[in-house]
Amino acid sequence: MNDQALSGVKILEYCSTVTGAYTAKIMADMGAEVIKVEPPGKGDDARRHPPFAGDIPHPEKSTLFLFLNSNKLGVTLDVRKDEGREIFRKLAGDADILVEDGPVGQMEETGLGYDVLKEWNPGLIMISITPYGRSGPYRDYKAYQLNLANTGGQAYLQPQPSVNLDRPPVKPGGHLTDYDSALMAAVAIVAAYYRKTMTGRGQFIEISKQEAILNMQRVDTLMFANAGGVLNRSGKLNPIPGGGVLPAKDGHVIISAPEDHQWDALMKFMGDPDWSKEDWCRDRFVRAENAAEQKKLISQWMTQYPKERIFHEGQAGKVPVASVSTPEDLADSEQLQVRGFWSEMDHPVVGKIKFPASPYRFSKTPWQMQRPAPMLGEHNEAIYNHRLGYDRAGLARLREEGII
Amino acid sequence: MIEGKRTMNGGPLEGIRVTEFTSAWAGPYATALLAMLGAEVIKVESRKRPDYSRTISFTSGSQFSGLDASWVYDCLNLNKKCVTLNLSKPRAVDLAKRLVSASDVVAENMRPGVIERLGLGYEALRECKRDVIYLSSSACGQTGPEREYSGYAPAFAAMGGASFITGYEDWPPSTFLGDIDLRSATTAAFAILAALVHRKKSGEGQYIDLASRETIAVMVGDVLLDYTMNGKVQTRRGNREETMAPHNNYRCRGDDRWIGIAVATEDEWLALCRVMGKPELAADGRFSDRDRRIANQEALDRIISDWTVHHDSNVLSAMLQKEGVAAAPCMNSEDLFKDPHLKAREVYQTVEHPVIGKDWVVAPPWRLSETPAAITRHAPLLGEHNDLVFHEMLGMSREEIQALEQEEVIF
């Protein structure tokens, strides 16, 4: 095994939302040692989240859980019990980073606030991930992904484009919104860790999911303040040159061709239709005014051909066209195959799985699948016996008393 | 060895210097994140090839009145410095190399192959700076049959699998706007930081090949697993969620006003019935547990809509939150800008820009207790830091700089 970029970094994860788990996952995938703390008995909520391998609900078979927890170690611990809290403090005492995503104030009430933990470990970097941050009028508001897609500025713009504003705005598909805040959180954590490698000192980081999401919508959201105008999902204020989403024979393609040379390439690809030589298509600004009419004509042409053919032949002719990929298309993509986007995972319960790996290729410290997501309490012995010095009898007692 | 003065702004990356050759959104925002965390970022542009976002707003298609008048460029290039080098001239390439030899990180997002042809590829720059961390960001990556494919944010969303799963089941897939680029950018910033940690530990730099399309594909990773494990192709399903009901945006009073209500637990369901003033719903057999609510969610959605449509989305959200129900208005850019919570947290800030004047920007999304991230200055004017970088940092004489300007090397 090669050394990995974050090898040697020790992370304690005490999270119950997808965001916290994904934050720690992307660092675990880069080699950090992540100890995931789950409540005894039922474990992480994601273990009960469908779909499951083979469609059979089972705590080790949730696709979401398996995805979110690759490369982590897992222990069970009830921190509401005194000894559980002591154990948690010891684990935090040995960690570089603690990631938690509970409601504002929960850690403090449990006696595990940053002020307490830093006494044990001044080098600790602790991050609190909450829906709306730890201050301000909404600090105690509850929010699931849909709510945050609403208050982070995403949902108002989806679906894009919408020809019927009577239909409700939608959140982005899957867990995209949850992963957005996780990505932002991970950036701050690794920056703080880098700082720690020089000073030895830790710090407290606060991140609001709403603000993380809003940061990725920064250009759209600032349009109101800086240029006037409120974007909506109709696409009328922001027509995509070249048509945007278009129907193909067997699915959809997306074209955006803002530059003149790209538009020319698109017209050439379509066999230089007569209408494209008329005055209402003469330059990008005139074209922008007539985008809806062009879209109709381009659509008519596209529906004759399969999406993959349009994609590859169009790109060969320098048309910025993309095929709207389904999960099946991505699994079959030669490009992703050649680039090693997929990795293989061997899990004791679900067996071998083709697993999405990483979006970056590091020349010296590549992404590695070291181990699949932990089974519930899988590393209790390794952590409690071998690290914290409990003996077999001690471990049995912790189990009996429901502490682990 | 050129040391040069380093900017000190107190962020965690204080002392790190980045030289970048990026344009548009995905590249520039990656290094803007590092700049807000305290890194010194020097952007290399030229009058021949200014950053696209100086000239046009991709979102609205509107053109800016000059190369220093773009608020889009401003919000994507905060805290940076800018020098102009016409990289079609060999002497400009030499100067870029001198800059890199005094930097820790290089970032570029040209089409694969272009920067190598300019003489500024990874292998060439490793000669100037042995432990450089070099990130290339492109649409599909530097390798593979599709490496030269091009596209903008909507293409990454489509090729990455996000479009197919976003929207209504009975409608075409959705496109995305520039936020897709900023996801790629944030992923790039994370990758660079991880490489910095590795360099600190091992002394070695490395090359990072990042594909924007793949940054999106990993963000639908759990959906991909459903296919590789179960052969299921998940598609669009509006706001439906397999573990929650009700779970939708409901129409409120006013023009295009909506409230998102998401119910996961029995307590939340009972609280919602209470706030609606419909305790009988809690006893209704169609909705008595989560599975039944999911099975009957169309009927449930109609009942809730009939109630929400008479109310203001903000008032209703506050009422529901008070009772422990996760509710939130669907906010547009005006709502967000005027939101009291974001105001209290000082999320929208202004910078004084020499050409634009007062320009609104979004504050960095992290609050670090010891080494705070911050916006310290507006995005640079084109070539604003030529003197600072070439004269003060690299020690070139003003005469030499002037001569190079006349020869359109510094240009």
Side-chain angles (χ1 to χ4, degrees), chain B residues 149-165:
Chain B
Y149 284 18
S150 68
Y152 299 94
F156 311 152
M159 295 191 286
S163 285
F164 186 73
I165 58 168

Side-chain angles (χ1 to χ4, degrees), chain B residues 79-258:
Chain B
N79 290 9
K80 297 183 189 177
K81 297 186 169 81
C82 174
V83 298
T84 46
L85 284 174
N86 176 4
L87 297 173
S88 64
K89 308 246 182 189
R91 291 182 66 193
V93 173
D94 288 342
L95 279 178
K97 286 183 175 172
R98 283 182 66 185
L99 204 50
V100 170
S101 69
S103 303
D104 305 284
V105 176
V106 171
E108 66 93 11
N109 71 340
M110 298 183 196
R111 197 185 273 239
V114 171
I115 199 139
E116 283 83 4
R117 288 197 288 278
L118 289 171
L120 295 168
Y122 176 60
E123 295 303 327
L125 294 191
R126 208 164 50 156
E127 302 286 312
C128 325
K129 173 77 177 168
R130 185 188 48 83
D131 61 352
V132 72
I133 290 162
Y134 189 121
L135 178 123
S136 287
S137 162
S138 60
C140 295
Q142 304 290 318
T143 60
E146 294 166 19
R147 69 185 172 278
E148 289 188 12
Y149 284 18
S150 68
Y152 299 94
F156 311 152
M159 295 191 286
S163 285
F164 186 73
I165 58 168
T166 301
Y168 312 120
E169 198 167 359
D170 55 345
W171 270 25
S174 295
T175 185
F176 282 75
L177 306 177
D179 50 311
I180 285 288
D181 278 337
L182 302 197
R183 290 185 175 94
S184 171
T186 310
T187 307
F190 171 74
I192 289 170
L193 286 163
L196 275 168
V197 169
H198 179 72
R199 189 190 70 164
K200 179 78 190 169
K201 188 171 58 185
S202 67
E204 70 183 5
Q206 59 183 315
Y207 180 67
I208 305 167
D209 162 12
L210 175 136
S212 290
R213 170 223 213 141
E214 294 170 8
T215 64
I216 305 308
V218 294
M219 295 177 91
V220 301
D222 52 299
V223 175
L224 298 180
L225 270 187
D226 195 21
Y227 179 75
T228 60
M229 291 173 75
N230 294 327
K232 285 227 176 91
V233 174
Q234 288 187 27
T235 182
R236 300 171 288 290
R237 50 180 183 192
N239 287 316
R240 294 278 155 89
E241 221 280 342
E242 59 257 278
T243 58
M244 289 193 240
H247 186 272
N248 211 342
N249 270 320
Y250 301 96
R251 188 176 273 289
C252 291
R253 199 172 64 210
D255 182 25
D256 205 19
R257 310 309 287 180
W258 305 82

Side-chain angles (χ1 to χ4, degrees), chain A residues 263-275:
Chain A
W263 173 265
D264 294 345
L266 171 62
M267 289 305 115
K268 192 175 165 209
F269 179 52
M270 289 171 53
D272 283 320
D274 289 340
W275 57 263

Side-chain angles (χ1 to χ4, degrees), chain B residues 55-66:
Chain B
T55 59
I56 192 162
S57 159
F58 279 125
T59 311
S60 68
S62 64
Q63 228 174 354
F64 296 108
S65 59

Side-chain angles (χ1 to χ4, degrees), chain A residues 17 19 100-104 128-135 138-145 147-149 151-152 178 181 206-214, chain B residues 321 326-328 341-342 345:
Chain A
T17 79
T19 298
E100 72 88 7
D101 65 1
V104 176
S128 150
I129 306 171
T130 55
Y132 294 105
R134 294 167 64 87
S135 65
Y138 305 162
R139 68 184 175 278
D140 294 321
Y141 277 16
K142 196 187 263 186
Y144 299 108
Q145 207 182 196
N147 310 105
L148 290 160
T151 55
D178 285 332
S181 2
E206 187 212 337
I207 183 161
S208 134
K209 293 180 185 178
Q210 179 193 27
E211 287 167 30
I213 297 160
L214 190 59
Chain B
Q321 286 285 354
H341 180 73
L342 294 174
R345 288 176 59 84

Side-chain angles (χ1 to χ4, degrees), chain A residues 20 31 45 55 63 77 83 96 99 101 123 169 198 201 206 225 257 262 268 272 287 295 325 328 333 338 349 403:
Chain A
D45 283 344
D55 277 337
T63 53
L77 187 65
E83 195 171 352
D96 295 301
V99 184
D101 65 1
M198 290 184 294
R201 290 218 302 274
E206 187 212 337
Q262 293 163 341
K268 192 175 165 209
D272 283 320
R287 282 198 298 275
K295 181 173 178 170
S325 300
E328 185 179 11
S333 159
V338 169
V349 177
I403 292 165

